[in-house]
Each structure stands twice: as structure tokens, then as C-alpha cells.
mmCIF file of all heavy atoms in Angstrom:
data_model
loop_
_atom_site.group_PDB
_atom_site.id
_atom_site.type_symbol
_atom_site.label_atom_id
_atom_site.label_comp_id
_atom_site.label_asym_id
_atom_site.label_seq_id
_atom_site.Cartn_x
_atom_site.Cartn_y
_atom_site.Cartn_z
ATOM 1 N N ARG A 1 17.059 -15.952 11.845
ATOM 2 C CA ARG A 1 15.856 -15.127 11.835
ATOM 3 C C ARG A 1 15.145 -15.252 13.173
ATOM 4 O O ARG A 1 14.964 -16.380 13.672
ATOM 5 C CB ARG A 1 14.939 -15.543 10.677
ATOM 6 C CG ARG A 1 13.749 -14.625 10.496
ATOM 7 C CD ARG A 1 12.967 -14.968 9.245
ATOM 8 N NE ARG A 1 13.787 -14.798 8.041
ATOM 9 C CZ ARG A 1 13.347 -14.934 6.809
ATOM 10 N NH1 ARG A 1 12.086 -15.257 6.604
ATOM 11 N NH2 ARG A 1 14.168 -14.782 5.795
ATOM 12 N N ALA A 2 14.750 -14.157 13.760
ATOM 13 C CA ALA A 2 14.201 -14.135 15.081
ATOM 14 C C ALA A 2 12.837 -13.407 15.143
ATOM 15 O O ALA A 2 12.623 -12.445 14.406
ATOM 16 C CB ALA A 2 15.145 -13.462 16.091
ATOM 17 N N PHE A 3 11.982 -13.865 16.010
ATOM 18 C CA PHE A 3 10.681 -13.244 16.220
ATOM 19 C C PHE A 3 10.840 -11.875 16.867
ATOM 20 O O PHE A 3 11.663 -11.686 17.763
ATOM 21 C CB PHE A 3 9.836 -14.134 17.128
ATOM 22 C CG PHE A 3 8.561 -13.512 17.599
ATOM 23 C CD1 PHE A 3 7.450 -13.442 16.759
ATOM 24 C CD2 PHE A 3 8.444 -13.002 18.881
ATOM 25 C CE1 PHE A 3 6.288 -12.849 17.177
ATOM 26 C CE2 PHE A 3 7.289 -12.434 19.319
ATOM 27 C CZ PHE A 3 6.197 -12.356 18.474
ATOM 28 N N VAL A 4 10.035 -10.917 16.405
ATOM 29 C CA VAL A 4 10.038 -9.572 16.954
ATOM 30 C C VAL A 4 8.725 -9.237 17.595
ATOM 31 O O VAL A 4 8.675 -8.867 18.793
ATOM 32 C CB VAL A 4 10.351 -8.530 15.868
ATOM 33 C CG1 VAL A 4 10.250 -7.115 16.436
ATOM 34 C CG2 VAL A 4 11.752 -8.766 15.289
ATOM 35 N N ALA A 5 7.624 -9.351 16.864
ATOM 36 C CA ALA A 5 6.317 -8.962 17.377
ATOM 37 C C ALA A 5 5.243 -9.607 16.525
ATOM 38 O O ALA A 5 5.459 -9.923 15.360
ATOM 39 C CB ALA A 5 6.153 -7.469 17.421
ATOM 40 N N SER A 6 4.032 -9.738 17.086
ATOM 41 C CA SER A 6 2.920 -10.277 16.343
ATOM 42 C C SER A 6 1.620 -9.612 16.764
ATOM 43 O O SER A 6 1.523 -9.037 17.866
ATOM 44 C CB SER A 6 2.799 -11.795 16.508
ATOM 45 O OG SER A 6 2.455 -12.137 17.841
ATOM 46 N N VAL A 7 0.627 -9.702 15.898
ATOM 47 C CA VAL A 7 -0.709 -9.183 16.225
ATOM 48 C C VAL A 7 -1.746 -10.135 15.613
ATOM 49 O O VAL A 7 -1.622 -10.575 14.476
ATOM 50 C CB VAL A 7 -0.884 -7.750 15.703
ATOM 51 C CG1 VAL A 7 -0.659 -7.651 14.172
ATOM 52 C CG2 VAL A 7 -2.253 -7.197 16.075
ATOM 53 N N ARG A 8 -2.754 -10.440 16.423
ATOM 54 C CA ARG A 8 -3.892 -11.244 15.924
ATOM 55 C C ARG A 8 -4.882 -10.323 15.214
ATOM 56 O O ARG A 8 -5.318 -9.302 15.798
ATOM 57 C CB ARG A 8 -4.564 -11.986 17.064
ATOM 58 C CG ARG A 8 -3.655 -12.996 17.732
ATOM 59 C CD ARG A 8 -4.398 -13.810 18.788
ATOM 60 N NE ARG A 8 -3.509 -14.737 19.465
ATOM 61 C CZ ARG A 8 -3.253 -15.949 19.020
ATOM 62 N NH1 ARG A 8 -3.832 -16.391 17.919
ATOM 63 N NH2 ARG A 8 -2.402 -16.738 19.698
ATOM 64 N N TRP A 9 -5.216 -10.648 13.974
ATOM 65 C CA TRP A 9 -6.024 -9.751 13.163
ATOM 66 C C TRP A 9 -7.380 -9.504 13.775
ATOM 67 O O TRP A 9 -7.874 -8.393 13.784
ATOM 68 C CB TRP A 9 -6.168 -10.307 11.749
ATOM 69 C CG TRP A 9 -6.647 -9.271 10.807
ATOM 70 C CD1 TRP A 9 -7.906 -9.159 10.312
ATOM 71 C CD2 TRP A 9 -5.869 -8.214 10.241
ATOM 72 N NE1 TRP A 9 -7.970 -8.073 9.462
ATOM 73 C CE2 TRP A 9 -6.735 -7.478 9.393
ATOM 74 C CE3 TRP A 9 -4.561 -7.827 10.353
ATOM 75 C CZ2 TRP A 9 -6.311 -6.370 8.686
ATOM 76 C CZ3 TRP A 9 -4.113 -6.703 9.652
ATOM 77 C CH2 TRP A 9 -4.979 -6.005 8.827
ATOM 78 N N ARG A 10 -8.040 -10.557 14.278
ATOM 79 C CA ARG A 10 -9.394 -10.423 14.773
ATOM 80 C C ARG A 10 -9.458 -9.589 16.072
ATOM 81 O O ARG A 10 -10.357 -8.769 16.224
ATOM 82 C CB ARG A 10 -10.001 -11.785 15.053
ATOM 83 C CG ARG A 10 -10.423 -12.549 13.811
ATOM 84 C CD ARG A 10 -11.075 -13.868 14.211
ATOM 85 N NE ARG A 10 -11.575 -14.607 13.060
ATOM 86 C CZ ARG A 10 -12.098 -15.803 13.117
ATOM 87 N NH1 ARG A 10 -12.176 -16.438 14.284
ATOM 88 N NH2 ARG A 10 -12.512 -16.410 12.019
ATOM 89 N N THR A 11 -8.548 -9.818 16.968
ATOM 90 C CA THR A 11 -8.634 -9.251 18.310
ATOM 91 C C THR A 11 -7.671 -8.075 18.527
ATOM 92 O O THR A 11 -7.899 -7.272 19.432
ATOM 93 C CB THR A 11 -8.345 -10.301 19.372
ATOM 94 O OG1 THR A 11 -7.005 -10.742 19.274
ATOM 95 C CG2 THR A 11 -9.282 -11.486 19.211
ATOM 96 N N GLY A 12 -6.615 -8.002 17.759
ATOM 97 C CA GLY A 12 -5.601 -7.000 17.999
ATOM 98 C C GLY A 12 -4.626 -7.357 19.094
ATOM 99 O O GLY A 12 -3.770 -6.522 19.449
ATOM 100 N N THR A 13 -4.723 -8.535 19.645
ATOM 101 C CA THR A 13 -3.790 -8.972 20.689
ATOM 102 C C THR A 13 -2.373 -9.030 20.178
ATOM 103 O O THR A 13 -2.130 -9.557 19.089
ATOM 104 C CB THR A 13 -4.198 -10.347 21.233
ATOM 105 O OG1 THR A 13 -5.534 -10.301 21.718
ATOM 106 C CG2 THR A 13 -3.282 -10.785 22.361
ATOM 107 N N THR A 14 -1.441 -8.492 20.949
ATOM 108 C CA THR A 14 -0.058 -8.371 20.497
ATOM 109 C C THR A 14 0.862 -9.156 21.405
ATOM 110 O O THR A 14 0.573 -9.414 22.570
ATOM 111 C CB THR A 14 0.399 -6.930 20.477
ATOM 112 O OG1 THR A 14 0.254 -6.332 21.775
ATOM 113 C CG2 THR A 14 -0.435 -6.105 19.492
ATOM 114 N N ASP A 15 1.992 -9.559 20.842
ATOM 115 C CA ASP A 15 3.076 -10.195 21.599
ATOM 116 C C ASP A 15 4.386 -9.620 21.105
ATOM 117 O O ASP A 15 4.508 -9.210 19.964
ATOM 118 C CB ASP A 15 3.084 -11.712 21.385
ATOM 119 C CG ASP A 15 1.934 -12.398 22.099
ATOM 120 O OD1 ASP A 15 1.920 -12.364 23.348
ATOM 121 O OD2 ASP A 15 1.062 -12.957 21.412
ATOM 122 N N TYR A 16 5.370 -9.581 22.024
ATOM 123 C CA TYR A 16 6.667 -8.992 21.704
ATOM 124 C C TYR A 16 7.788 -9.851 22.219
ATOM 125 O O TYR A 16 7.685 -10.475 23.280
ATOM 126 C CB TYR A 16 6.798 -7.601 22.303
ATOM 127 C CG TYR A 16 5.800 -6.600 21.797
ATOM 128 C CD1 TYR A 16 4.608 -6.383 22.459
ATOM 129 C CD2 TYR A 16 6.090 -5.848 20.682
ATOM 130 C CE1 TYR A 16 3.687 -5.463 21.990
ATOM 131 C CE2 TYR A 16 5.176 -4.933 20.208
ATOM 132 C CZ TYR A 16 3.992 -4.742 20.868
ATOM 133 O OH TYR A 16 3.088 -3.810 20.403
ATOM 134 N N ALA A 17 8.892 -9.846 21.499
ATOM 135 C CA ALA A 17 10.125 -10.405 22.050
ATOM 136 C C ALA A 17 10.613 -9.516 23.184
ATOM 137 O O ALA A 17 10.419 -8.293 23.174
ATOM 138 C CB ALA A 17 11.179 -10.485 20.950
ATOM 139 N N ASP A 18 11.259 -10.149 24.163
ATOM 140 C CA ASP A 18 11.743 -9.381 25.310
ATOM 141 C C ASP A 18 12.703 -8.263 24.895
ATOM 142 O O ASP A 18 12.738 -7.203 25.536
ATOM 143 C CB ASP A 18 12.440 -10.307 26.291
ATOM 144 C CG ASP A 18 11.482 -11.200 27.051
ATOM 145 O OD1 ASP A 18 10.286 -10.900 27.080
ATOM 146 O OD2 ASP A 18 11.956 -12.204 27.608
ATOM 147 N N SER A 19 13.445 -8.489 23.846
ATOM 148 C CA SER A 19 14.439 -7.520 23.422
ATOM 149 C C SER A 19 13.851 -6.200 22.892
ATOM 150 O O SER A 19 14.558 -5.181 22.835
ATOM 151 C CB SER A 19 15.343 -8.132 22.348
ATOM 152 O OG SER A 19 14.577 -8.544 21.228
ATOM 153 N N VAL A 20 12.555 -6.204 22.548
ATOM 154 C CA VAL A 20 11.955 -4.989 21.967
ATOM 155 C C VAL A 20 10.819 -4.443 22.826
ATOM 156 O O VAL A 20 10.288 -3.395 22.490
ATOM 157 C CB VAL A 20 11.454 -5.261 20.543
ATOM 158 C CG1 VAL A 20 12.585 -5.793 19.687
ATOM 159 C CG2 VAL A 20 10.267 -6.182 20.533
ATOM 160 N N LYS A 21 10.460 -5.119 23.906
ATOM 161 C CA LYS A 21 9.361 -4.638 24.750
ATOM 162 C C LYS A 21 9.676 -3.239 25.293
ATOM 163 O O LYS A 21 10.792 -2.982 25.758
ATOM 164 C CB LYS A 21 9.147 -5.599 25.907
ATOM 165 C CG LYS A 21 8.419 -6.864 25.520
ATOM 166 C CD LYS A 21 8.179 -7.770 26.724
ATOM 167 C CE LYS A 21 7.427 -9.024 26.326
ATOM 168 N NZ LYS A 21 7.226 -9.943 27.483
ATOM 169 N N GLY A 22 8.685 -2.376 25.197
ATOM 170 C CA GLY A 22 8.859 -1.019 25.661
ATOM 171 C C GLY A 22 9.419 -0.091 24.617
ATOM 172 O O GLY A 22 9.389 1.142 24.791
ATOM 173 N N ARG A 23 9.950 -0.623 23.542
ATOM 174 C CA ARG A 23 10.519 0.189 22.473
ATOM 175 C C ARG A 23 9.754 0.059 21.155
ATOM 176 O O ARG A 23 9.648 1.059 20.427
ATOM 177 C CB ARG A 23 11.967 -0.209 22.215
ATOM 178 C CG ARG A 23 12.878 -0.031 23.417
ATOM 179 C CD ARG A 23 14.344 -0.223 23.028
ATOM 180 N NE ARG A 23 14.593 -1.571 22.519
ATOM 181 C CZ ARG A 23 15.116 -1.837 21.337
ATOM 182 N NH1 ARG A 23 15.434 -0.836 20.489
ATOM 183 N NH2 ARG A 23 15.329 -3.079 20.947
ATOM 184 N N PHE A 24 9.247 -1.120 20.858
ATOM 185 C CA PHE A 24 8.543 -1.371 19.595
ATOM 186 C C PHE A 24 7.066 -1.538 19.872
ATOM 187 O O PHE A 24 6.657 -2.076 20.914
ATOM 188 C CB PHE A 24 9.067 -2.642 18.924
ATOM 189 C CG PHE A 24 10.438 -2.539 18.363
ATOM 190 C CD1 PHE A 24 11.293 -1.473 18.644
ATOM 191 C CD2 PHE A 24 10.911 -3.545 17.524
ATOM 192 C CE1 PHE A 24 12.575 -1.393 18.133
ATOM 193 C CE2 PHE A 24 12.210 -3.481 17.010
ATOM 194 C CZ PHE A 24 13.017 -2.422 17.314
ATOM 195 N N THR A 25 6.253 -1.121 18.903
ATOM 196 C CA THR A 25 4.810 -1.323 18.973
ATOM 197 C C THR A 25 4.285 -1.841 17.650
ATOM 198 O O THR A 25 4.544 -1.209 16.614
ATOM 199 C CB THR A 25 4.088 -0.015 19.317
ATOM 200 O OG1 THR A 25 4.573 0.522 20.545
ATOM 201 C CG2 THR A 25 2.572 -0.248 19.458
ATOM 202 N N VAL A 26 3.563 -2.977 17.680
ATOM 203 C CA VAL A 26 2.979 -3.508 16.479
ATOM 204 C C VAL A 26 1.486 -3.152 16.484
ATOM 205 O O VAL A 26 0.828 -3.174 17.530
ATOM 206 C CB VAL A 26 3.181 -5.023 16.365
ATOM 207 C CG1 VAL A 26 2.536 -5.763 17.527
ATOM 208 C CG2 VAL A 26 2.708 -5.538 15.020
ATOM 209 N N SER A 27 0.966 -2.811 15.344
ATOM 210 C CA SER A 27 -0.447 -2.449 15.210
ATOM 211 C C SER A 27 -0.976 -2.877 13.858
ATOM 212 O O SER A 27 -0.226 -3.235 12.969
ATOM 213 C CB SER A 27 -0.645 -0.945 15.437
ATOM 214 O OG SER A 27 0.073 -0.198 14.480
ATOM 215 N N ARG A 28 -2.283 -2.813 13.734
ATOM 216 C CA ARG A 28 -2.898 -3.191 12.449
ATOM 217 C C ARG A 28 -3.923 -2.147 12.044
ATOM 218 O O ARG A 28 -4.503 -1.455 12.899
ATOM 219 C CB ARG A 28 -3.577 -4.549 12.543
ATOM 220 C CG ARG A 28 -4.952 -4.542 13.227
ATOM 221 C CD ARG A 28 -5.293 -5.876 13.838
ATOM 222 N NE ARG A 28 -6.703 -6.014 14.187
ATOM 223 C CZ ARG A 28 -7.301 -5.451 15.242
ATOM 224 N NH1 ARG A 28 -6.598 -4.676 16.053
ATOM 225 N NH2 ARG A 28 -8.566 -5.699 15.491
ATOM 226 N N ASP A 29 -4.135 -1.991 10.762
ATOM 227 C CA ASP A 29 -5.201 -1.162 10.200
ATOM 228 C C ASP A 29 -6.085 -2.085 9.389
ATOM 229 O O ASP A 29 -5.723 -2.504 8.288
ATOM 230 C CB ASP A 29 -4.608 -0.058 9.341
ATOM 231 C CG ASP A 29 -5.670 0.943 8.868
ATOM 232 O OD1 ASP A 29 -6.809 0.551 8.669
ATOM 233 O OD2 ASP A 29 -5.295 2.123 8.671
ATOM 234 N N VAL A 30 -7.254 -2.405 9.917
ATOM 235 C CA VAL A 30 -8.127 -3.390 9.302
ATOM 236 C C VAL A 30 -8.715 -2.867 7.992
ATOM 237 O O VAL A 30 -9.145 -3.649 7.157
ATOM 238 C CB VAL A 30 -9.254 -3.841 10.258
ATOM 239 C CG1 VAL A 30 -8.680 -4.544 11.486
ATOM 240 C CG2 VAL A 30 -10.126 -2.660 10.666
ATOM 241 N N ASN A 31 -8.755 -1.565 7.823
ATOM 242 C CA ASN A 31 -9.300 -0.995 6.614
ATOM 243 C C ASN A 31 -8.299 -0.996 5.452
ATOM 244 O O ASN A 31 -8.659 -0.928 4.286
ATOM 245 C CB ASN A 31 -9.813 0.435 6.835
ATOM 246 C CG ASN A 31 -10.934 0.484 7.836
ATOM 247 O OD1 ASN A 31 -10.854 1.200 8.850
ATOM 248 N ND2 ASN A 31 -11.993 -0.250 7.574
ATOM 249 N N LYS A 32 -7.018 -1.045 5.808
ATOM 250 C CA LYS A 32 -5.958 -1.014 4.782
ATOM 251 C C LYS A 32 -5.267 -2.369 4.618
ATOM 252 O O LYS A 32 -4.361 -2.467 3.799
ATOM 253 C CB LYS A 32 -4.917 0.035 5.159
ATOM 254 C CG LYS A 32 -5.446 1.463 5.135
ATOM 255 C CD LYS A 32 -4.346 2.455 5.453
ATOM 256 C CE LYS A 32 -4.872 3.873 5.397
ATOM 257 N NZ LYS A 32 -3.790 4.865 5.701
ATOM 258 N N ASN A 33 -5.669 -3.353 5.412
ATOM 259 C CA ASN A 33 -5.011 -4.667 5.397
ATOM 260 C C ASN A 33 -3.503 -4.520 5.565
ATOM 261 O O ASN A 33 -2.716 -5.092 4.829
ATOM 262 C CB ASN A 33 -5.343 -5.432 4.097
ATOM 263 C CG ASN A 33 -6.803 -5.837 4.025
ATOM 264 O OD1 ASN A 33 -7.524 -5.825 5.005
ATOM 265 N ND2 ASN A 33 -7.228 -6.222 2.827
ATOM 266 N N THR A 34 -3.149 -3.738 6.542
ATOM 267 C CA THR A 34 -1.756 -3.387 6.750
ATOM 268 C C THR A 34 -1.393 -3.484 8.223
ATOM 269 O O THR A 34 -2.206 -3.155 9.089
ATOM 270 C CB THR A 34 -1.470 -1.942 6.258
ATOM 271 O OG1 THR A 34 -1.738 -1.869 4.861
ATOM 272 C CG2 THR A 34 -0.027 -1.519 6.509
ATOM 273 N N ILE A 35 -0.196 -3.962 8.521
ATOM 274 C CA ILE A 35 0.345 -3.916 9.875
ATOM 275 C C ILE A 35 1.547 -3.007 9.886
ATOM 276 O O ILE A 35 2.186 -2.784 8.860
ATOM 277 C CB ILE A 35 0.680 -5.297 10.451
ATOM 278 C CG1 ILE A 35 1.836 -5.960 9.658
ATOM 279 C CG2 ILE A 35 -0.538 -6.206 10.457
ATOM 280 C CD1 ILE A 35 2.419 -7.166 10.374
ATOM 281 N N TYR A 36 1.861 -2.504 11.094
ATOM 282 C CA TYR A 36 2.946 -1.583 11.252
ATOM 283 C C TYR A 36 3.847 -2.034 12.403
ATOM 284 O O TYR A 36 3.410 -2.757 13.290
ATOM 285 C CB TYR A 36 2.432 -0.170 11.578
ATOM 286 C CG TYR A 36 1.462 0.366 10.539
ATOM 287 C CD1 TYR A 36 0.082 0.184 10.721
ATOM 288 C CD2 TYR A 36 1.921 1.012 9.407
ATOM 289 C CE1 TYR A 36 -0.794 0.684 9.766
ATOM 290 C CE2 TYR A 36 1.047 1.493 8.461
ATOM 291 C CZ TYR A 36 -0.321 1.340 8.641
ATOM 292 O OH TYR A 36 -1.195 1.817 7.706
ATOM 293 N N LEU A 37 5.063 -1.584 12.354
ATOM 294 C CA LEU A 37 5.976 -1.775 13.474
ATOM 295 C C LEU A 37 6.632 -0.438 13.754
ATOM 296 O O LEU A 37 7.497 0.010 13.004
ATOM 297 C CB LEU A 37 7.024 -2.836 13.181
ATOM 298 C CG LEU A 37 7.940 -3.208 14.330
ATOM 299 C CD1 LEU A 37 7.168 -3.918 15.439
ATOM 300 C CD2 LEU A 37 9.118 -4.076 13.835
ATOM 301 N N GLN A 38 6.200 0.208 14.837
ATOM 302 C CA GLN A 38 6.805 1.445 15.279
ATOM 303 C C GLN A 38 8.011 1.128 16.145
ATOM 304 O O GLN A 38 7.859 0.462 17.166
ATOM 305 C CB GLN A 38 5.801 2.301 16.059
ATOM 306 C CG GLN A 38 6.383 3.613 16.602
ATOM 307 C CD GLN A 38 6.779 4.563 15.535
ATOM 308 O OE1 GLN A 38 6.002 4.797 14.593
ATOM 309 N NE2 GLN A 38 7.950 5.145 15.609
ATOM 310 N N MET A 39 9.168 1.561 15.737
ATOM 311 C CA MET A 39 10.417 1.243 16.417
ATOM 312 C C MET A 39 11.041 2.515 16.970
ATOM 313 O O MET A 39 11.353 3.419 16.200
ATOM 314 C CB MET A 39 11.395 0.551 15.439
ATOM 315 C CG MET A 39 10.828 -0.671 14.755
ATOM 316 S SD MET A 39 12.041 -1.547 13.756
ATOM 317 C CE MET A 39 12.381 -0.287 12.510
#
């Protein structure tokens, strides 16, 4: 199992694995308590 992406709930700060940078986007919806991964 490998890390792909992360987001800090309070700040929205994101991190990505090198293998997905530029292709994947992680985001959060604070009103829906939901995170997304656009690939």
C-alpha cells in the first residue's frame, strides 16, 4: 500500500506522491465532510 495524496482539514494544505503530481488533485468539502481525488 502506497501514499497517493493528503489534505489537512483545517488549512486545505495538500501533499502528493511524485508519481501523481500534475495528474491528481485532492480536495475537501468542509460542508459535506468529504474529500475527493480527481485523477
Side-chain angles (χ1 to χ4, degrees):
R1 187 172 298 185
F3 171 78
V4 175
S6 67
V7 58
R8 296 184 182 273
W9 196 257
R10 285 182 177 175
T11 66
T13 302
T14 58
D15 288 294
Y16 297 93
D18 288 342
S19 59
V20 306
K21 285 182 178 178
R23 299 189 299 123
F24 291 11
T25 303
V26 63
S27 61
R28 79 206 196 284
D29 187 329
V30 297
N31 298 123
K32 296 182 178 180
N33 293 344
T34 299
I35 65 167
Y36 304 93
L37 186 68
Q38 178 66 46
M39 306 185 295

